[in-house]
């Protein structure tokens, strides 16, 4: 059990105004606002697997994604922790799988809340927060063996009328410090990759993983995806990265205490080589814009808490 100081109280059923509803199913929690906007969070990985606004799905999920806990979900918003990518062998995370254990562990649903403060949680009827917890004790034996620190994570997913907020709190419960990386691996659903521009990363330095991890500076303020793209933008000055479709704003990613962003699209060959990436031409309908802290390592001292996250906005 993850301990929590201020457990949320239930939404009062007595008010006449329509309330957000939160439904628990066997493997997921679904929140719906009176407007019909909704979010679905799988307990496996606390992975957001659907976020709909104005009747439209905003997130891409592969039609071959495993949702049964047998492997991380290919799509939605997997949570990356405590390492990003393949961990360096000589680091404390060195025995963990790519992107760590958070996305392939079963989280606990800790309850809903409509009154917590937060940029989207107005305290009214138009937003709802769901909290998910994962602590060292809940890990598989394999993960416990591979990373022997004591910690707990609380992941808060807030659906508001203006967007979706996902915030991760990382608490070091142990007696020694640890180093981590974290990232929110959002797969956006888009109509046509050839019409996409990504703005807000101009003049930023990045590592291009497609070009042997070489260092570059983003000279063009607008990024277009025309081939395999796997870039880690570091120390970004602007808070907001925007996905523009056909010249019109489509999504905003507003980072909160996360300085880096990965832009990823596997394109043709890589999509073909990823077993659970379907349909194979699905790369035309997705782009990942992943807010994170992945440039080097964040050190967390015993008793300390790190909090970082994002607000996603969908413009239609
Ligand atoms: C991105 C990485 O964040 O995730 C890529 O930068 C990686 O290198 C991609 O290919 C998908 O990773 P995975 O483990 O879900 O296949």
């Amino acid at each position: 059990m993850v301990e929590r100081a201020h457990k949320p109280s239930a939404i009062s059923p007595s008010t006449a105004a329509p309330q957000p509803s939160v439904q628990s199913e066997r493997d997921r929690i679904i929140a719906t606002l009176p407007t019909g906007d909704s979010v679905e969070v799988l307990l496996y990985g606390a992975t957001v697997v659907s976020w709909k606004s104005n009747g439209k799905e905003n997130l891409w999920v592969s039609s071959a994604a495993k949702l049964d806990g047998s492997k991380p979900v290919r799509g939605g918003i997997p949570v990356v922790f405590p390492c990003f990518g393949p961990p360096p062998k000589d680091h404390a995370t060195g025995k963990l799988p790519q992107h760590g254990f958070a996305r392939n562990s079963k989280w606990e649903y800790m309850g809903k809340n409509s009154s917590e403060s937060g940029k989207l949680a107005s305290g009214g009827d138009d937003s709802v927060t769901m909290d998910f917890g994962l602590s060292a004790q809940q890990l598989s034996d394999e993960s416990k063996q591979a990373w022997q620190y004591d910690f707990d994570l609380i992941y808060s997913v807030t659906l508001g009328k203006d967007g979706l907020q996902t915030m991760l709190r990382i608490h070091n419960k142990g007696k020694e410090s640890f180093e981590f990386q974290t990232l929110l691996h959002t797969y956006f659903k888009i109509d046509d990759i050839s019409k996409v521009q990504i703005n807000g990363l101009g003049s930023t330095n990045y590592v291009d993983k497609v070009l042997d991890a070489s260092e570059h500076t983003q000279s063009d303020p607008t990024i277009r995806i025309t081939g395999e793209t796997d870039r880690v933008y570091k120390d970004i000055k602007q808070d907001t990265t925007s996905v523009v479709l056909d010249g019109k704003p489509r999504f905003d990613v507003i980072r909160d205490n996360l300085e880096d962003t990965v832009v990823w699209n596997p394109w043709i060959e890589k999509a073909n080589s990823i077993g659970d990436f379907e349909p194979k031409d699905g790369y035309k309908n997705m782009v990942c814009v992943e807010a994170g802290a992945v440039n080097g390592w964040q050190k967390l001292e015993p008793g300390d808490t790190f909090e970082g996250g994002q607000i996603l906005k969908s413009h239609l």
Side-chain angles (χ1 to χ4, degrees):
M1 268 296 269
V2 176
E3 285 159 30
R4 217 179 139 208
H6 305 289
K7 265 219 179 284
S9 53
I11 295 169
S12 160
S14 58
T15 5
Q19 298 286 310
S21 80
V22 177
Q23 203 184 321
S24 274
E25 296 199 349
R26 188 185 49 81
D27 63 344
R28 69 190 67 196
I29 312 292
I30 304 169
T32 310
L33 295 183
T35 57
D37 290 2
S38 64
V39 64
E40 290 189 29
V41 187
L42 269 197
L43 294 176
Y44 182 67
T47 316
V48 176
V49 288
S50 168
W51 165 41
K52 287 186 192 144
S53 47
N54 294 314
K56 201 164 172 175
E57 178 60 61
N58 295 310
L59 300 176
W60 184 87
V61 177
S62 161
S63 59
K66 296 274 186 255
L67 303 177
D68 61 358
S70 56
K71 65 187 298 191
V73 179
R74 176 68 58 203
I77 314 181
V79 177
V80 168
F81 175 87
C83 57
F84 164 69
K89 288 284 163 262
D90 57 354
H91 189 262
T93 54
K95 293 200 179 77
L96 291 173
Q98 156 129 326
H99 295 341
F101 51 68
R103 66 174 182 165
N104 54 18
S105 297
K106 191 171 173 203
W107 293 55
E108 175 197 359
Y109 174 51
M110 299 172 70
K112 67 183 177 185
N113 175 15
S114 67
S115 61
E116 228 166 326
S117 59
K119 293 194 181 92
L120 290 175
S122 61
D125 306 331
D126 51 14
S127 78
V128 61
T129 297
M130 295 170 290
D131 288 336
F132 299 86
L134 180 70
S135 64
Q137 294 69 36
Q138 288 161 255
L139 294 183
S140 67
D141 290 343
E142 202 183 341
S143 299
K144 269 186 207 153
Q145 273 299 317
W147 200 71
Q148 300 178 3
Y149 295 95
D150 196 8
F151 71 92
D152 61 40
L153 305 180
I154 296 176
Y155 187 48
S156 300
V157 176
T158 301
L159 177 65
K161 65 176 181 6
D162 296 330
L164 184 74
Q165 182 179 37
T166 75
M167 290 296 297
L168 185 65
R169 264 167 286 168
I170 304 166
H171 176 213
N172 183 348
K173 280 171 63 182
K175 293 198 166 50
E176 42 181 341
S177 62
F178 61 73
E179 291 187 323
F180 69 91
Q181 296 168 320
T182 186
L183 169 128
L184 303 167
H185 198 305
T186 307
Y187 288 73
F188 288 112
K189 184 171 178 168
I190 41 135
D191 294 339
D192 182 352
I193 193 73
S194 71
K195 296 183 178 154
V196 164
Q197 286 168 255
I198 295 173
N199 294 338
L201 297 171
S203 308
T204 304
N205 294 334
Y206 67 92
V207 171
D208 195 329
K209 292 180 141 190
V210 174
L211 297 175
D212 292 325
S214 48
E215 297 261 353
H216 304 259
T217 302
Q218 181 65 43
S219 48
D220 191 333
T222 287
I223 302 164
R224 285 181 180 278
I225 313 281
T226 54
E228 185 185 348
T229 304
D230 191 356
R231 298 179 179 179
V232 184
Y233 287 87
K234 306 185 292 186
D235 263 325
I236 310 163
K237 300 290 169 273
Q238 308 90 312
D239 289 342
T240 305
T241 307
S242 301
V243 177
V244 172
L245 190 71
D246 233 348
K248 296 188 214 80
R250 181 66 189 91
F251 298 108
D252 288 329
V253 179
I254 304 160
R255 282 172 291 102
D256 189 346
N257 200 30
L258 297 174
E259 312 274 285
D260 313 318
T261 290
V262 177
V263 176
W264 183 64
N265 182 294
W267 213 250
I268 302 166
E269 271 177 42
K270 183 92 195 260
N272 272 324
S273 73
I274 301 177
D276 61 356
F277 195 102
E278 291 282 356
K280 287 301 171 203
D281 65 357
Y283 71 90
K284 293 178 184 165
N285 301 114
M286 54 73 67
V287 66
C288 289
V289 178
E290 313 161 22
V294 295
N295 178 23
W297 297 89
Q298 306 290 320
K299 190 169 183 184
L300 202 59
E301 298 296 340
D304 281 1
T305 300
F306 170 96
E307 184 163 8
Q310 61 180 0
I311 292 176
L312 307 178
K313 297 204 167 178
S314 168
H315 306 282
L316 286 169

